[in-house]
Amino acid sequence: MALKQISSNKCFGGLQKVFEHDSVELNCKMKFAVYLPPKAETGKCPALYWLSGLTCTEQNFISKSGYHQSASEHGLVVIAPDTSPRGCNIKGEDESWDFGTGAGFYVDATEDPWKTNYRMYSYVTEELPQLINANFPVDPQRMSIFGHSMGGHGALICALKNPGKYKSVSAFAPICNPVLCPWGKKAFSGYLGTDQSKWKAYDATHLVKSYPGSQLDILIDQGKDDQFLLDGQLLPDNFIAACTEKKIPVVFRLQEMSCLAIYSWVYLETSLILMMAIHMCLMAVNTQATKDKNMAYSLNWNLVTQVF
């Protein structure tokens, strides 16, 4: 598949690039950002996928988060796709900030008129990784995913629906139980129809209840005074309860932060440095061949506890 380079900028010894391509899944042109650290010049590097939240494009993360220095130091190729198809000329796609353009919710739509283009789940988990693996120096066996808000929801469901595909997953203020929150109900009814039993396939809280038990490292950062949390949009307690019942460990950091702080790039920049270092370590540990699976798992969570 042909890639068209839109931009390339030197950054901390590496290159921040943006590409455009014709997406098979989404039936439109899509842009994604990719950071190539200095280590990518001499060998394959781990791949870390970032999923952004409502209204964002690939530009928000690369221009505001300040992640480049950490990615450069740890030798991480970081990929940031857009949050939805664009320019599909679907009636109503630009009428709301939380549905349609900029709000793909990382699902594969089954309802008209959205199902032809709005297939962000398959794009993020299949088409984009295949594109990255074929065109950039990444190690397909060392891949992790993280995101923010709607993107945190996307990161969680991508990891939970694909055991073993991602070595670790983390999220900032994720939408954890969308079938029960206003954002999720609006998006899922539009993209997936009125049969709410079908919504559960894209709900992290429901997915974790049937997770087959393959090792997975989950980290969540959440602001205590986040207004979206208080308004019942995020519902992390439901996800934590489901993980506890399933005996799936999750590191949950409840920060003394307001909504504005936890959703600001100033805060995210600080926490991203820690998140990226941990993802790098977890990818290294989880891909190491060892007979003692319990020891590898213990190493992961001991590391997380120490750093956080």
Side-chain angles (χ1 to χ4, degrees):
M1 185 179 297
L3 294 179
K4 178 183 177 182
Q5 183 169 291
I6 302 300
S7 64
S8 179
N9 297 283
K10 293 182 179 180
C11 192
F12 289 98
L15 291 170
Q16 176 63 69
K17 295 175 176 284
V18 175
F19 290 90
E20 184 180 74
H21 71 105
D22 292 315
S23 170
V24 175
E25 289 289 352
L26 307 179
N27 288 291
C28 68
K29 292 187 180 297
M30 287 294 287
K31 291 180 182 178
F32 66 87
V34 57
Y35 177 72
L36 301 173
K39 290 181 180 179
E41 296 179 2
T42 57
K44 293 186 176 183
C45 300
L48 183 56
Y49 288 78
W50 168 267
L51 303 184
S52 289
L54 291 164
T55 75
C56 290
T57 70
E58 80 289 340
Q59 287 295 322
N60 294 74
F61 184 64
I62 67 174
S63 63
K64 297 179 179 180
S65 69
Y67 78 91
H68 298 92
Q69 183 174 1
S70 183
S72 175
E73 293 174 351
H74 295 294
L76 289 167
V77 172
V78 181
I79 304 99
D82 202 346
T83 55
S84 77
R86 293 183 187 268
C88 298
N89 297 316
I90 300 174
K91 184 179 179 180
E93 67 178 342
D94 295 322
E95 293 180 356
S96 177
W97 67 274
D98 56 358
F99 183 80
T101 301
F105 266 84
Y106 305 102
V107 304
D108 284 350
T110 57
E111 297 296 299
D112 290 323
W114 311 100
K115 65 182 182 182
T116 300
N117 303 100
Y118 279 69
R119 296 179 51 80
M120 286 299 294
Y121 171 74
S122 289
Y123 177 74
V124 166
T125 59
E126 298 296 335
E127 183 177 0
L128 185 58
Q130 290 172 10
L131 198 63
I132 297 298
N133 294 344
N135 291 277
F136 301 98
V138 298
D139 180 356
Q141 302 304 313
R142 290 187 292 166
M143 181 168 66
S144 287
I145 191 166
F146 66 152
H148 174 232
S149 191
M150 178 186 73
H153 143 76
L156 290 173
I157 65 169
C158 287
L160 291 168
K161 288 170 72 70
N162 297 275
K165 188 181 187 76
Y166 302 97
K167 302 305 179 185
S168 56
V169 56
S170 68
F172 297 95
I175 303 170
C176 292
N177 199 182
V179 302
L180 294 181
C181 78
W183 280 338
K185 290 178 180 179
K186 179 178 180 178
F188 286 8
S189 61
Y191 294 137
L192 304 175
T194 57
D195 183 354
Q196 296 189 15
S197 65
K198 297 179 180 179
W199 299 3
K200 295 178 181 180
Y202 295 102
D203 183 295
T205 297
H206 285 279
L207 287 170
V208 81
K209 293 176 181 179
S210 59
Y211 190 72
S214 176
Q215 179 180 323
L216 181 65
D217 292 289
I218 305 173
L219 297 83
I220 294 178
D221 229 15
Q222 174 63 58
K224 181 179 179 181
D225 298 321
D226 183 336
Q227 190 60 50
F228 295 129
L229 174 68
L230 301 178
D231 289 344
Q233 294 282 18
L234 308 180
L235 304 174
D237 289 347
N238 295 355
F239 180 71
I240 300 302
C243 287
T244 301
E245 182 179 347
K246 187 67 177 177
K247 293 183 171 57
I248 295 178
V250 54
V251 170
F252 181 68
R253 298 203 315 169
L254 190 61
Q255 305 281 15
E256 294 291 335
M257 295 276 182
S258 68
C259 171
L260 292 175
I262 198 69
Y263 271 82
S264 76
W265 288 106
V266 175
Y267 167 73
L268 289 177
E269 179 177 354
T270 302
S271 197
L272 274 170
I273 296 172
L274 293 175
M275 286 280 192
M276 293 176 71
I278 290 173
H279 274 294
M280 181 60 190
C281 292
L282 294 181
M283 280 190 277
V285 172
N286 284 338
T287 54
Q288 188 177 21
T290 174
K291 294 181 180 180
D292 191 344
K293 300 295 184 181
N294 292 326
M295 180 174 290
Y297 193 73
S298 175
L299 283 172
N300 290 346
W301 287 109
N302 283 340
L303 173 63
V304 170
T305 303
Q306 291 170 17
V307 174
F308 277 79

